[in-house]
Amino acid sequence: MRSLDEYKLVQGCQRGDPEAFSQLVKQYKDPLYNAAYRILADADEAADATQSSFLKIFERIDSFDSSRPLFSWLYRIALNEAIDRSRKLSRLTEIGR
């Protein structure tokens, strides 16, 4: 992990500290939203993807490997969520034609 602050933040989240998770969301919501928006090109869909990403992060924080950078882990979750959402939207568009 890159910094002591990140380490403490993750530890707090893993202990179930709502303030730690709130801080994680506050610190990373914009870059994760921006990543989702680049894929989805829709503000509402990007916001939904970001929210879903944070839900997955909350559920999986115990599996985070602290020897790796936190941002990379968060970013990958957000990218996967946006890509999955984009595929679903694409399929729905195909069905609607």
Side-chain angles (χ1 to χ4, degrees):
M1 184 163 307
R2 292 225 158 89
S3 75
L4 185 58
D5 288 339
E6 281 185 356
Y7 181 72
K8 288 181 179 180
L9 189 60
V10 169
Q11 277 192 323
C13 290
Q14 289 173 333
R15 285 192 313 268
D17 178 2
E19 182 58 38
F21 190 74
S22 177
Q23 183 63 35
L24 181 107
V25 171
K26 185 178 178 182
Q27 188 169 339
Y28 293 104
K29 69 180 177 179
D30 290 342
L32 298 188
Y33 170 84
N34 291 336
Y37 186 80
R38 282 193 303 274
I39 291 169
L40 295 162
D42 181 277
D44 291 334
E45 290 296 332
D48 288 347
T50 304
Q51 185 174 8
S52 294
S53 297
F54 279 112
L55 179 59
K56 288 180 180 181
I57 290 163
F58 179 79
E59 293 170 343
R60 299 175 185 168
I61 194 73
D62 287 336
S63 70
F64 173 67
D65 177 359
S66 61
S67 69
R68 299 179 156 273
L70 176 61
F71 182 73
S72 297
W73 185 72
L74 301 174
Y75 193 78
R76 188 75 247 170
I77 290 172
L79 284 181
N80 288 345
E81 184 64 27
I83 290 167
D84 289 347
R85 190 172 289 269
S86 177
R87 287 179 183 148
K88 283 181 189 173
L89 291 171
S90 180
R91 283 194 298 268
L92 290 174
T93 303
E94 290 294 320
I95 292 170
R97 287 189 197 180

